[in-house]
Amino acid sequence: MQRNPFHRFIFLLATGIILTSCHREYFEFDKISDEFEIEPEMAAPLVYGSMSMKDIVERFDSTGYVGEFDDGLIYLAYSDTLVEAMADTLVDVPDHISTEIYLDPEIDDPIFIGSDIGDTVHFYKSDILKFNMEGGDRVDSILVKGGTIIAEVYSSFRHMGFMIISSDQIHDPQGNPLFLKVDISDLSGDFRDSTILDSDHYHIETTAMGDSNVITIDYDLGLINSGNPINPGEVCDVKTSLIKMDFYGAYGYISSRELITLTDSLGIPIFADNPELTTLKLRDPRITIHTASSLGIPFEIELDSVTATAEDGSTETLEFYTGHPFVIPGPALENIGETVYGEININRETSNFPDLINLAPSDIYFNVAGRTHEESGQDNHFLLDTSRFMLEAEFLLPLDLRITGFALTDTMLFEMEEGVDTSMVRNAEITMTTINQLPIELKAQVLLLDSNYIVIDSVFEEQLPLLGASEVDEDGKLKVYADGSDGARMETHTVKFPAEKLGKLEQVSFMQVRAQLVTSQAGEPFVKIYSDYTLDFEISLFANFRINSNEL
């Protein structure tokens, strides 16, 4: 008959208890060690996931320089102002003009001699105020901003009367022509008066006279016969001035000449901040110069002596193939007050700009000359006090590039956390698997340095290609095969950390990372980097521990 296993277990257990009870003196429990040692193993995935190039850009683009075209090609873009000028700095409109006349009727003036005491006798005279402009410029009309009209009257006649100053070419804000009457109020022969008018919003119109544009001022001296004679040397002196004038609007013509001259430089942040990027070559870098003008003057810009200098001292000068000097659009007379925008495109089609940018310069130096565009045929120009002219350069660097040996070294402080006992780890292994659609290969090495920056050990046995570059087609895009698969590169690397290497961590004060980037096919072809390219990765850990109870 088969015995029940449960009965067998009970039998063994009972036998053990009996033996322990009956022969206790044969067991020396105080000599049994309480030390024990175990060797557990651990295997676990640490990190896994997928990042697109767009994710990477958004994570690291703190500058806001990065964007993408409609097809997903990534670019770097940043802007800087080349020129900004207001109308009053470009053209000088006279802000102070004056004229002085003398009315000195002869002692035998028949009209005055034939007049009776109390009669008013008029003496008339006209004079001009000249607007003297530079070269062939002219001013047809001005809406005055600020300024004053000053009439200074002196009379040595021993007669009372008045002086009327008028002009049909000067109108007040209500449209009334200038009419200024100064009463000559005493008979002393030493009458003096100064009258000041605020000329803000006055409108002045000029007429052409020879090479100048002028304003005619009319003077009417009325003398009330007091019975005193008019002696030789007696005179009425009138000085009329328009001073401190600015303009809300000025209309006329500006002849062809230079209005802007500027020598300056533009910084290139990508190279200024990363001088090691000398091996980066861009296929299609571009500058778009955005223009904004509310000047009613046809304008053209010439960029001269645009030069870049490489780190080794070699230089390149920008050459334009077409469209230079650049004509800047502006508003016509019927569009006063509007701002007209335009673009100037500097790229590989219009210039040798790629040659300049591929020197990896930190700055580009340039001269700018701006002048009126005489070939426009427009001879009615205008300026407003709000008129301005601006050129803004936008650098656009599509990531259509190649890199041959971009190297980067960075040293970081390393401190072991207190209480970490590396002796408990017999060995550890970290395995990294990547599937890379980016056409970029990354090699890396991490060196362990002591406090004197002396190399103690390295993390990798050699500089590893942690990321293998994807395959690209003849256009520099990720290669796609007939079966629908692509040229993404898969890499698996295992880094071993034996106990002796882990033990050295306590001596480490610094870690030095040495990285090297190169684009597909050793940087020979240009490659394009799109926002939908992905990097899939998985990092796992395997560790073997030795744990001794006395060391806990």
Side-chain angles (χ1 to χ4, degrees):
M1 184 177 71
Q2 187 177 8
R3 292 181 177 271
N4 189 314
F6 179 74
H7 293 163
R8 186 177 300 170
F9 172 74
I10 293 297
F11 174 78
L12 291 175
L13 179 59
T15 304
I17 293 173
I18 292 170
L19 289 174
T20 303
S21 308
C22 299
H23 302 282
R24 183 181 184 91
E25 66 275 12
Y26 297 105
F27 291 87
E28 301 181 43
F29 287 98
D30 58 335
K31 295 184 179 181
I32 297 177
S33 173
D34 59 358
E35 178 183 0
F36 64 89
E37 185 171 292
I38 59 174
E39 295 186 5
E41 293 180 350
M42 181 183 72
L46 294 181
V47 181
Y48 61 91
S50 178
M51 290 192 301
S52 68
M53 193 64 198
K54 186 173 183 178
D55 297 331
I56 297 171
V57 166
E58 290 177 350
R59 184 171 301 182
F60 295 103
D61 179 31
S62 60
T63 61
Y65 291 154
V66 181
E68 61 178 278
F69 295 109
D70 290 342
D71 64 352
L73 181 64
I74 294 176
Y75 62 80
L76 303 179
Y78 51 93
S79 301
D80 202 352
T81 299
L82 287 176
V83 177
E84 186 170 16
M86 299 300 293
D88 57 0
T89 66
L90 297 177
V91 179
D92 291 326
V93 176
D95 64 352
H96 187 152
I97 55 177
S98 63
T99 184
E100 187 170 10
I101 66 164
Y102 300 90
L103 290 93
D104 50 353
E106 296 297 330
I107 190 172
D108 58 351
D109 186 290
I111 299 176
F112 189 81
I113 293 175
S115 66
D116 295 325
I117 294 175
D119 288 348
T120 299
V121 181
H122 291 268
F123 301 94
Y124 300 97
K125 194 169 186 178
S126 295
D127 203 359
I128 59 173
L129 289 170
K130 282 187 176 182
F131 277 83
N132 293 317
M133 298 285 288
E134 183 177 347
D137 295 356
R138 73 170 194 270
V139 173
D140 296 333
S141 64
I142 295 176
L143 180 59
V144 178
K145 180 179 182 180
T148 55
I149 299 174
I150 300 176
E152 300 172 86
V153 179
Y154 166 73
S155 175
S156 61
F157 296 121
R158 289 170 296 155
H159 303 273
M160 295 199 303
F162 55 83
M163 168 59 69
I164 295 175
I165 303 168
S166 63
S167 176
D168 290 335
Q169 294 176 261
I170 302 176
H171 294 82
D172 67 16
Q174 289 72 43
N176 304 310
L178 176 68
F179 184 89
L180 176 62
K181 185 179 181 181
V182 178
D183 290 322
I184 301 171
S185 56
D186 65 57
L187 302 173
S188 67
D190 189 26
F191 173 79
R192 299 174 186 276
D193 182 83
S194 180
T195 301
I196 300 175
L197 290 178
D198 179 3
S199 60
D200 190 53
H201 279 93
Y202 270 60
H203 184 242
I204 298 174
E205 294 180 347
T206 71
T207 56
M209 180 180 288
D211 294 334
S212 299
N213 277 57
V214 301
I215 303 168
T216 300
I217 307 292
D218 297 319
Y219 300 91
D220 177 5
L221 172 62
L223 290 180
I224 301 172
N225 192 337
S226 65
N228 291 323
I230 296 178
N231 297 321
E234 291 182 345
V235 69
C236 182
D237 178 11
V238 183
K239 182 177 181 180
T240 308
S241 304
L242 280 65
I243 67 170
K244 297 182 179 179
M245 292 189 307
D246 203 344
F247 60 86
Y248 292 109
Y251 304 82
Y253 176 77
I254 305 299
S255 60
S256 180
R257 69 174 189 275
E258 285 192 358
L259 300 179
I260 294 174
T261 55
L262 175 68
T263 298
D264 207 341
S265 65
L266 280 173
I268 314 295
I270 186 175
F271 297 122
D273 299 338
N274 304 280
E276 63 277 0
L277 280 177
T278 54
T279 62
L280 171 65
K281 305 299 178 186
L282 298 161
R283 176 156 51 182
D284 188 23
R286 314 165 196 174
I287 295 180
T288 300
I289 298 179
H290 299 280
T291 70
S293 177
S294 52
L295 305 176
I297 304 174
F299 216 74
E300 68 178 25
I301 285 290
E302 182 175 1
L303 290 175
D304 183 32
S305 302
V306 182
T307 59
T309 303
E311 190 175 320
D312 63 4
S314 58
T315 62
E316 189 74 41
T317 301
L318 186 63
E319 297 178 9
F320 295 103
Y321 305 148
T322 182
H324 186 255
F326 305 112
V327 177
I328 309 301
L333 197 59
E334 59 270 20
N335 304 116
I336 293 175
E338 295 183 7
T339 298
V340 177
Y341 300 93
E343 285 187 0
I344 300 167
N345 296 303
I346 302 174
N347 51 46
R348 62 181 180 176
E349 303 296 332
T350 62
S351 70
N352 66 332
F353 180 62
D355 296 337
L356 268 73
I357 206 69
N358 285 329
L359 286 180
S362 57
D363 296 278
I364 292 180
Y365 295 87
F366 63 89
N367 296 328
V368 173
R371 62 178 65 88
T372 47
H373 182 49
E374 59 182 355
E375 296 178 6
S376 68
Q378 181 181 340
D379 61 358
N380 291 304
H381 304 162
F382 67 87
L383 295 171
L384 305 180
D385 63 325
T386 56
S387 294
R388 71 183 187 119
F389 173 79
M390 187 179 72
L391 299 180
E392 185 177 71
E394 180 186 30
F395 284 82
L396 194 65
L397 308 178
L399 296 191
D400 184 353
L401 50 80
R402 57 189 177 93
I403 303 173
T404 53
F406 166 63
L408 178 65
T409 299
D410 192 14
T411 301
M412 300 167 291
L413 184 66
F414 176 83
E415 294 181 352
M416 281 283 292
E417 186 177 348
E418 292 186 8
V420 174
D421 186 0
T422 58
S423 65
M424 295 175 64
V425 183
R426 297 188 63 179
N427 61 75
E429 295 180 359
I430 294 179
T431 300
M432 181 173 70
T433 299
T434 58
I435 302 176
N436 183 25
Q437 289 186 337
L438 304 178
I440 297 175
E441 179 184 271
L442 168 64
K443 294 182 179 180
Q445 178 60 279
V446 180
L447 301 179
L448 308 178
L449 312 179
D450 65 13
S451 58
N452 296 315
Y453 294 92
I454 296 174
V455 177
I456 299 173
D457 207 338
S458 62
V459 172
F460 310 123
E461 294 182 2
E462 58 182 350
Q463 194 173 44
L464 289 175
L466 295 182
L467 293 179
S470 64
E471 293 185 70
V472 296
D473 60 20
E474 61 275 8
D475 294 325
K477 296 182 179 180
L478 179 67
K479 195 168 187 177
V480 178
Y481 296 97
D483 61 0
S485 62
D486 59 37
R489 179 72 173 270
M490 181 175 179
E491 295 274 357
T492 298
H493 296 286
T494 298
V495 181
K496 296 183 178 181
F497 295 90
E500 58 270 19
K501 179 173 290 191
L502 290 170
K504 294 177 182 178
L505 290 179
E506 296 179 3
Q507 308 170 42
V508 175
S509 298
F510 301 95
M511 280 191 174
Q512 186 178 83
V513 179
R514 297 180 180 178
Q516 185 175 14
L517 288 178
V518 62
T519 46
S520 295
Q521 299 176 37
E524 286 298 319
F526 283 93
V527 299
K528 297 177 179 177
I529 298 180
Y530 289 85
S531 61
D532 61 350
Y533 285 176
T534 60
L535 171 62
D536 299 334
F537 57 91
E538 180 178 337
I539 302 175
S540 58
L541 168 70
F542 171 82
N544 184 277
F545 300 89
R546 182 189 63 83
I547 301 177
N548 189 289
S549 60
N550 286 344
E551 296 175 354
L552 293 177

